[in-house]
Amino acid sequence: MALFAVYLISVLAFILPPRLLDPLWQLSSIKLAVEGAPIPLLGLALLHLAAFLCPGDFRLQRRRQALTRLAILPALGFLLLIPLQGHAVWKTYRLSNAVSNQQQESASQRADAVRQAIEKATSPEDLQKRLLALQRPDLQIRLGDTPFPAIPLPQLKQQLLAQVNRTEGEFKVRFAPVDPATTESITRETFRVMVSSIAFAIAFAALAQRKNSPVPFLVEWPSLPGRLLGSLLRRPARSGQGSAGRTFLKSPNQREEDYFEALAHQDDEGPHPAP
């Protein structure tokens, strides 16, 4: 029971408050749940062992039965983590690339505006005025302590254009798309989490058991979808309404034909006894 408590406290302390729409929170929560799964799995195994060693302890037997039924939830939950992990990774890639493209496009537009201002300037004073109007926190143009009038205008333009190109390149590198090395690392981590989720789902299913079932939940697992589908398809008809409903669905001509067939069947049975 202490192992169960430690796992719940560790998970809840990390995932609260929930941020369900944040893919990074989803990935972190899934990783924490999978990496800590051996703790409750060991607790459930020890509970089975204790119930086996003490068959006369009815309180322990009831606790084992209750927790084996609850173990169905993590068995199914770890399976649900697989598509959730894939969706979170895909959403993270999509958002990262979208932000990167937006930032790089914005940097290119601002850099082009600064280049046009530099090229159209007719004097150092005009150039300084144009640059002051285009200054941005993420794309600043400086020449250090050298005043504008002390540099010839063509040389000044070359220095400013070089600085614009350098600043634009640094900004684009900072907001570059996900590189192949990072993509490979994330893919490997995603594959590890998915395989671990499958393994823990099988382990919990082996220690879980439905109420009034003589076998573990893992044994029933392959036939469970078919049984659920069959239970949905087999709906018992209400007494006194099945034939009435089928008769109501027939057309008037069909109902008339059925009526005359019933009369003919009664005539074939022979004369009725006199009252």
Side-chain angles (χ1 to χ4, degrees):
M1 300 305 296
L3 293 175
F4 297 142
V6 168
Y7 180 73
L8 289 177
I9 293 174
S10 301
V11 173
L12 293 177
F14 183 83
I15 66 175
L16 296 178
R19 301 186 301 274
L20 300 179
L21 300 180
D22 187 359
L24 296 179
W25 177 86
Q26 295 176 5
L27 293 175
S28 301
S29 301
I30 293 173
K31 183 179 179 180
L32 178 65
V34 172
E35 290 181 349
I39 299 177
L41 184 62
L42 178 61
L44 188 59
L46 291 177
L47 182 60
H48 276 277
L49 179 60
F52 175 77
L53 296 177
C54 303
D57 191 340
F58 296 104
R59 180 180 179 184
L60 183 61
Q61 297 297 330
R62 289 194 298 269
R63 181 179 299 175
R64 182 191 65 84
Q65 293 175 1
L67 290 180
T68 50
R69 289 195 291 267
L70 289 177
I72 297 177
L73 297 179
L76 299 176
F78 279 106
L79 286 182
L80 295 178
L81 291 182
I82 298 174
L84 182 60
Q85 171 80 9
H87 178 266
V89 171
W90 171 80
K91 190 175 181 179
T92 301
Y93 276 129
R94 186 172 60 87
L95 292 177
S96 177
N97 291 332
V99 171
S100 175
N101 295 333
Q102 181 180 4
Q103 293 292 339
Q104 292 201 6
E105 183 179 357
S106 177
S108 298
Q109 293 177 355
R110 295 171 184 175
D112 291 339
V114 175
R115 291 191 190 96
Q116 293 179 4
I118 294 173
E119 294 173 354
K120 293 180 179 179
T122 57
S123 64
E125 292 78 8
D126 183 30
L127 178 58
Q128 188 174 11
K129 186 181 300 184
R130 290 175 181 269
L131 291 179
L132 289 176
L134 294 175
Q135 285 282 27
R136 295 291 187 274
D138 56 352
L139 192 58
Q140 296 183 359
I141 308 299
R142 302 188 188 93
L143 281 179
D145 298 332
T146 306
F148 276 8
I151 303 176
L153 184 60
Q155 183 179 357
L156 180 61
K157 288 184 177 182
Q158 291 180 359
Q159 293 186 17
L160 289 175
L161 290 174
Q163 187 173 355
V164 169
N165 296 334
R166 183 171 61 254
T167 305
E168 181 186 6
E170 294 175 354
F171 187 84
K172 288 186 175 181
V173 168
R174 187 172 49 173
F175 290 94
V178 182
D179 58 287
T182 304
T183 302
E184 182 180 359
S185 176
I186 295 176
T187 303
R188 290 177 179 271
E189 179 67 17
T190 301
F191 182 74
R192 184 188 69 83
V193 171
M194 288 183 174
V195 173
S196 300
S197 298
I198 296 175
F200 286 124
I202 295 175
F204 275 101
L207 298 177
Q209 193 171 3
R210 291 193 308 113
K211 186 178 182 180
N212 300 327
S213 177
V215 296
F217 185 65
L218 181 62
V219 178
E220 298 182 295
W221 207 335
S223 61
L224 188 61
R227 294 169 59 182
L228 292 177
L229 183 60
S231 63
L232 293 177
L233 295 178
R234 294 193 305 270
R235 291 186 176 181
R238 296 180 180 178
S239 59
Q241 293 185 1
S243 59
R246 288 191 294 270
T247 304
F248 177 77
L249 294 177
K250 295 180 180 179
S251 62
N253 295 332
Q254 186 65 33
R255 291 198 298 269
E256 185 177 357
E257 292 178 3
D258 294 343
Y259 174 72
F260 286 115
E261 288 180 2
L263 291 179
H265 180 69
Q266 292 179 2
D267 294 339
D268 293 340
E269 291 179 353
H272 296 280

